[in-house]
Amino acid sequence: MNAPLTNPEIRRVHGFPVSGDQLVVGGVPLRRLAARVGRTPFYAYDRTLITDRVALLRAHLPAGVHLSYACKANPMPAVVGHLARLVDGMDVASAGELATVLDAGVDPDHISFAGPGKRAEELARAVAAGVTVNIESAGELEVLAREAARLGVTPRVAVRVNPDFELRGSGMRMGGGAKQFGIDAEDVPAVLRRIAALDACFVGFHVFWGSQALRPALIREAQEKSVELVLRLTDHAPAAPELVNVGGGFGIPYHDKDEPLPLAEVGDGMAVLSDRLAAALPEARLGIELGRYLVGEAGVYVCRVVDRKTSRGQVFLVTDGGLHHHLAATGNFGQVLRRNYPVVVGSRMAAADVETQSVVGCLCTPIDLLADRVELPRAEVGDLVVIFQSGAYGASASPHGFLGHGGPAEVLV
Amino acid sequence: MNAPLTNPEIRRVHGFPVSGDQLVVGGVPLRRLAARVGRTPFYAYDRTLITDRVALLRAHLPAGVHLSYACKANPMPAVVGHLARLVDGMDVASAGELATVLDAGVDPDHISFAGPGKRAEELARAVAAGVTVNIESAGELEVLAREAARLGVTPRVAVRVNPDFELRGSGMRMGGGAKQFGIDAEDVPAVLRRIAALDACFVGFHVFWGSQALRPALIREAQEKSVELVLRLTDHAPAAPELVNVGGGFGIPYHDKDEPLPLAEVGDGMAVLSDRLAAALPEARLGIELGRYLVGEAGVYVCRVVDRKTSRGQVFLVTDGGLHHHLAATGNFGQVLRRNYPVVVGSRMAAADVETQSVVGCLCTPIDLLADRVELPRAEVGDLVVIFQSGAYGASASPHGFLGHGGPAEVLV
């Protein structure tokens, strides 16, 4: 993927068009975009690619599926505002994200708040806003009830279930076994009885089994098991669920050997599931909640070459970027093995002279490695290096204050 | 170290006193300190422990050693201001850190600026401030000279050398082999000739070979090799060096099996080295640059238990903290294997009933694990969990914006 464009038929690289020697983001050639942003490094998110991704999903998912955006993946207000017009709801992980989503005009009826360790003041804000709180423990339910009573507002409550199954093969397992997330399936009936005893509006269930799955069979199995689990639990519920949220977990290809998720297969499985749920619980809507899958591939990180140096035969492109902006690309955020993200020299897309170069950041630490010995067109000071697959968990999951260089700019184009 | 204090003679835990059931930081019992800060989570740095650490170092190092603080380890302005009165100089890694150090009143003659990828505007700021720039490449030297000429200021220049030796056993190797840091030793003579041809003040050399070393023999070998390397290079220098900075690398014990660095042994080695340097270069001062070693053990991270839950037999203390504040403690910053930092329940230091508990943060990700199945006094909602060894690369190296919970407070007590 890092080879120069020798074949004139190749018009896109990792989803982005190429015009002459430049990558094009949001319809703007990269050098012009950098001038418009006014500084490097920056993250750029292509709004058309986001729109297209949601449309592609809708085309494959059965009608009526409630599609929610997990805004933790990219909480930039402009991105949230763009997605607010495309999806059916949003999931937030904190009162900070809640404020962003409310500002974007999302209907509180379609906002859910999930996450362990919600503080009383966060629960109070959620109740006051009228959003659904996904309860993560019996203790949290009591704090929620207390805050709701204090405010005189009937809270909207869903139960996050820690499933009694565990799946192998997803990038990150978040359900099954002993977990800090959700309520163990076997303890859910007691919590549902407690909800029935409280002045609360029961909305439904949330099962989250994992993330970054690229095998459709895995997603299908997880979703099926989630729905069957919910159907078993529903007997204990104070009311029929409005929403059965079977989580997300749709992965994107980050590395050479990753294949994109075959969406048609996932959609076929969900059609069967949707019918199954409709037959058993006609009032319930099947929901999924996606973050990375909606925005990850629509974003790039762009930094500028500040120095080009050769040390003992190895070429280093020293950039003004680094792990303080894009920790995940350096392999220091949740990864066990460091692997290169796809990278190009976005200002030399037509160049033919390729050599082995490493892209590093400007931080004084050897872990600040953005691309380790990749084949790239020979770049010079001033060139723009682009890291793809950077739309999710890039800007927000990086330590902007580290070493005092400051954070990146962000732009939705 | 996590056992309760059954022996009344044990008055300190990881360097901090205990009073009754509480850990004491900066002379203040923990609950009172939390009330003074006004919110959790927070980092607290004990100014007396920092002062004591510098005094301990001075007692073991030969007289005349130039002790510099690498403020990247903890750039909190109050910490920098405190250390400004104790050390001989400061090293900065960015124009942002430079501003902090200048504000703290450090003499520009004793400030050095190191790091790859310095931008032209950063170099201009350094020249205007009158601080020493540690040159990392031949190209950077030219940009520096251009900016200095533009400003009409003679720049202070040191050469950062990428040594021709490599050492095993330090936590992080930063010299030897092909590196983005410094100028390969074999290329240094040419750069020194170029400095001689420019209107520049040559200050000396900087050799950085690694960090987090706990074996004195390793430090001694690295320092000796660094000085010998500098003595070979000095023949090519435009003037005798004022300062020979042999880096830092003094480690601190993070984990159960780590032993503190035997400072007496390190000091003995440096005494020999200091004599060697004085004999060869009477004008030169031997310098070291320490970050983590000065502040790492003086700091704690304090978070509050928000929920206590048992999932399939495992107890989770869900706190209001997490990896957005203390990435390193979760093993997601440069580490290959996740190991627990030392942790206590700082509000139950006298408790005798111990059980196995995991401490997690409030983020919606399984990597948000602060302590994995440790023996702790049985904690309840409202208790304060303390993570030791958190004074360096804690607050500043964490992604504060992740999931929208906001950053930690910081206090120097």
Side-chain angles (χ1 to χ4, degrees), chain A residues 112-151:
Chain A
S112 57
F113 180 13
K118 299 184 198 80
R119 286 166 290 139
E121 60 267 34
E122 288 182 299
L123 291 166
R125 288 171 70 179
V127 170
V131 306
T132 300
V133 175
N134 292 358
I135 289 293
E136 308 263 349
S137 78
E140 185 174 275
L141 177 61
E142 298 306 319
V143 180
L144 176 78
R146 190 187 71 209
E147 295 298 321
R150 193 174 59 78
L151 289 162

Side-chain angles (χ1 to χ4, degrees), chain B residues 286-347:
Chain B
L286 183 65
I288 57 172
E289 159 186 324
L290 299 173
R292 189 196 312 269
Y293 194 75
L294 298 186
V295 294
E297 295 177 87
V300 291
Y301 175 64
V302 182
C303 53
R304 195 180 292 276
V305 178
V306 175
D307 198 3
R308 175 196 165 83
K309 58 192 284 190
T310 303
S311 170
R312 294 173 184 142
Q314 191 174 329
V315 178
F316 291 91
L317 303 176
V318 185
T319 69
D320 56 5
L323 67 77
H324 56 314
H325 295 163
H326 203 333
L327 190 61
T330 66
N332 287 290
F333 192 68
Q335 297 99 318
V336 177
L337 285 179
R338 193 204 166 282
R339 294 191 294 176
N340 289 327
Y341 273 45
V343 58
V344 294
V345 181
S347 49

Side-chain angles (χ1 to χ4, degrees), chain A residues 40 72-73 75 93-97 113-120 122 136-140 143 160 162-165 172-187 306-314 316 318-320 323 327 332-336 360-369 393 396-405, chain B residues 40 72-73 75 93-97 113-120 122 136-140 143 160 162-165 172-187 306-314 316 318-320 323 327 332-336 360-369 393 396-405:
Chain A
T40 52
K72 63 168 85 65
S94 67
E97 289 186 356
F113 180 13
K118 299 184 198 80
R119 286 166 290 139
E122 288 182 299
E136 308 263 349
S137 78
E140 185 174 275
V143 180
R160 180 168 179 179
N162 178 25
D164 46 11
F165 58 87
M172 210 173 254
R173 271 180 277 173
M174 294 178 65
K179 288 283 179 304
Q180 70 261 46
F181 308 109
I183 296 164
D184 293 349
E186 53 274 31
D187 298 333
V306 175
D307 197 3
R308 175 197 164 83
K309 58 192 284 190
T310 304
S311 171
R312 293 171 185 144
Q314 192 174 329
F316 292 92
V318 185
T319 69
D320 56 4
L323 68 76
L327 190 61
N332 286 290
F333 192 68
Q335 299 98 319
V336 176
V360 299
C362 59
L363 303 189
C364 225
T365 164
I367 66 175
D368 191 18
L369 177 60
Y393 303 114
S396 74
S398 296
H400 296 177
F402 192 45
L403 299 203
H405 289 279
Chain B
T40 52
K72 64 169 82 68
S94 68
E97 289 186 358
F113 179 13
K118 298 183 197 83
R119 287 166 290 139
E122 289 182 300
E136 308 264 348
S137 78
E140 184 173 275
V143 180
R160 180 168 178 179
N162 178 25
D164 46 11
F165 58 87
M172 209 173 256
R173 271 180 276 173
M174 295 177 65
K179 288 283 180 302
Q180 70 260 48
F181 308 110
I183 297 163
D184 293 350
E186 52 274 31
D187 298 332
V306 175
D307 198 3
R308 175 196 165 83
K309 58 192 284 190
T310 303
S311 170
R312 294 173 184 142
Q314 191 174 329
F316 291 91
V318 185
T319 69
D320 56 5
L323 67 77
L327 190 61
N332 287 290
F333 192 68
Q335 297 99 318
V336 177
V360 298
C362 58
L363 302 190
C364 224
T365 165
I367 66 174
D368 192 19
L369 177 61
Y393 304 114
S396 74
S398 295
H400 297 176
F402 193 44
L403 300 203
H405 289 280

Side-chain angles (χ1 to χ4, degrees), chain A residues 187-207:
Chain A
D187 298 333
V188 167
V191 170
L192 289 169
R193 282 193 295 276
R194 180 66 185 137
I195 292 173
L198 293 166
D199 175 24
C201 169
F202 176 72
V203 175
F205 294 97
H206 176 204
V207 186

Side-chain angles (χ1 to χ4, degrees), chain B residues 22 30-32 34 40 42 302-305 344-348 380 382-386:
Chain B
Q22 289 180 73
L30 196 62
R31 284 195 184 278
R32 179 163 170 180
T40 52
F42 62 90
V302 182
C303 53
R304 195 180 292 276
V305 178
V344 294
V345 181
S347 49
R348 288 187 191 263
E380 300 291 346
D383 270 317
L384 297 169
V385 172
V386 174

